[in-house]
Amino acid sequence: MNTKARTWFSALSTVSLLTICAALPVHQAQADEPGPVEAIEFDPAKAALGKRLFFDPRLSGDTELSCASCHQPENGFTDGQALSDAYAGNLHFRNVPTLINSAKRAAWFHDGRIGTNLNDVTRESITETYSMNMDMRLMQERIKQDPVYVEMFEAAGFGEPSNGGVRNAIPEYLKTLISRGAPFDRGEMSEEAKAGYELFNASGCNSCHSGERFTDDQPHNIGVGDNPDIWAEPERHITFVTMMKFLGVENYMNLRADPGAYIRTHTADTFGTFMTPTLRELTYTAPYMHNGTLETLEDVVAFYNAGGGVDENKDPRIEPLNLNETEQAQLLAFLKALSGEPLTGPDFVAEEVDTSYEPIENWRETTN
């Protein structure tokens, strides 16, 4: 964000970026040497239920959107767009992050506004007006009408279909979305990728992209430029303004930059900081950055090689790498070696949800 656009922040106190870092829980993986992402134990019956719910559009207000509408398995559980769609009448102002390995995240969303409680994440994603716009009381009655859900909730130990069951089942499904089979993990990287890994560490990339998921789960500013479509397209601008007002951001009507993790601290030095993204499954999840402004991995490498963008809050560690073309190609090969098998098989993708069942008569008086 340029200085002119941020003049209204000048009166705010300046607190070290360590303030926001200390507020976030540190995942154990940060202290570990990078290696295969360790699987998470899950309840198979609950995960199977969560998988069906994840692909069911009846969880949205108008029955047009499922969780998988934006988190598509073939795109690494992203949507392949720079800026995501949203509920009818809206468009979003951020890029869809991957859900692969997301059950291990220390904080959710690009601004880190929600912590590790996946129950809370599930509720917000379903109920927010710009996401799925669902009244969970209505959702509960919808799924109670489906005899398949009646059986699956019972098998999962939840009793009859309920809001609480949904908020617990979907997170159980997310636990199954774990990276597997990447050349880096199998010890099968090419010589070019091995050289790229050496450059990755020597250049200090691992200071933020650390641990098994290659992220420190902390917010940083690397000078990513703003995406003008956010303010040029009314449907996106409306969503932006509504969210900024709700989060208590000052001067939200005139703001033309995404504040990122600033919404957690409201201190000027955290403006424009965003959670470090995982480097896992990058070959599936283009475009990149919180606002999708970098289309390819080549663009990402070039961006860092040039020392990131221009921003007064930019992390001082972001400096030009000065890599030649061969070295940039090596770094790119390493990044590609962090992508594994696509999670597109039946273990991860539900069969089409059949809604041709007969509704229950007198459903208000009928118990499951």
Side-chain angles (χ1 to χ4, degrees), residues 39 144 155 202 215 268 289 291 341 365:
K144 278 184 176 182
T215 171
M289 303 302 171
N291 56 13
E341 302 165 6
E365 288 77 37

Side-chain angles (χ1 to χ4, degrees), residues 5 130 213 239 246 289 296:
Y130 55 80
R213 294 180 295 118
T239 305
F246 175 76
M289 303 302 171
T296 68

Side-chain angles (χ1 to χ4, degrees), residues 163-201:
N163 298 335
V166 171
R167 297 197 309 270
N168 281 279
I170 291 178
E172 204 69 18
Y173 164 67
L174 295 181
K175 294 177 183 178
T176 71
L177 304 180
I178 299 295
S179 291
R180 62 205 69 198
F184 176 83
D185 299 328
R186 299 197 310 265
E188 298 178 0
M189 287 198 297
S190 66
E191 292 304 314
E192 186 179 35
K194 290 177 182 177
Y197 184 39
E198 294 299 323
L199 287 169
F200 179 84
N201 292 323

Side-chain angles (χ1 to χ4, degrees), residues 175-316:
K175 294 177 183 178
T176 71
L177 304 180
I178 299 295
S179 291
R180 62 205 69 198
F184 176 83
D185 299 328
R186 299 197 310 265
E188 298 178 0
M189 287 198 297
S190 66
E191 292 304 314
E192 186 179 35
K194 290 177 182 177
Y197 184 39
E198 294 299 323
L199 287 169
F200 179 84
N201 292 323
S203 300
C205 304
N206 59 352
S207 65
C208 294
H209 293 285
S210 56
E212 62 180 3
R213 294 180 295 118
F214 290 87
T215 171
D216 62 359
D217 282 324
Q218 303 291 348
H220 302 286
N221 185 320
I222 60 174
V224 175
D226 290 306
N227 189 328
D229 290 344
I230 298 171
W231 298 280
E233 299 179 21
E235 294 88 348
R236 297 194 194 281
H237 195 184
I238 289 170
T239 305
F240 177 83
V241 167
T242 301
M243 184 172 170
M244 293 303 110
K245 179 180 180 181
F246 175 76
L247 294 173
V249 176
E250 303 86 345
N251 201 32
Y252 57 86
M253 289 298 296
N254 298 315
L255 186 59
R256 295 296 182 271
D258 191 333
Y262 167 86
I263 58 100
R264 301 189 63 180
T265 64
H266 291 257
T267 59
D269 63 328
T270 62
F271 195 97
T273 58
F274 295 89
M275 302 299 292
T276 302
T278 178
L279 298 185
R280 293 282 183 175
E281 315 308 328
L282 290 176
T283 60
Y284 305 113
T285 59
Y288 306 99
M289 303 302 171
H290 65 276
N291 56 13
T293 50
L294 299 182
E295 294 185 4
T296 68
L297 279 178
E298 288 82 357
D299 293 337
V300 173
V301 171
F303 176 80
Y304 278 102
N305 195 48
V310 178
D311 194 288
E312 63 188 65
N313 280 344
K314 189 171 73 172
D315 192 306

Side-chain angles (χ1 to χ4, degrees), residues 81-101:
Q81 302 183 91
L83 301 171
S84 75
D85 294 330
Y87 191 76
N90 297 275
L91 291 171
H92 213 304
F93 56 89
R94 287 181 182 158
N95 180 261
V96 174
T98 179
L99 292 185
I100 298 175
N101 307 318

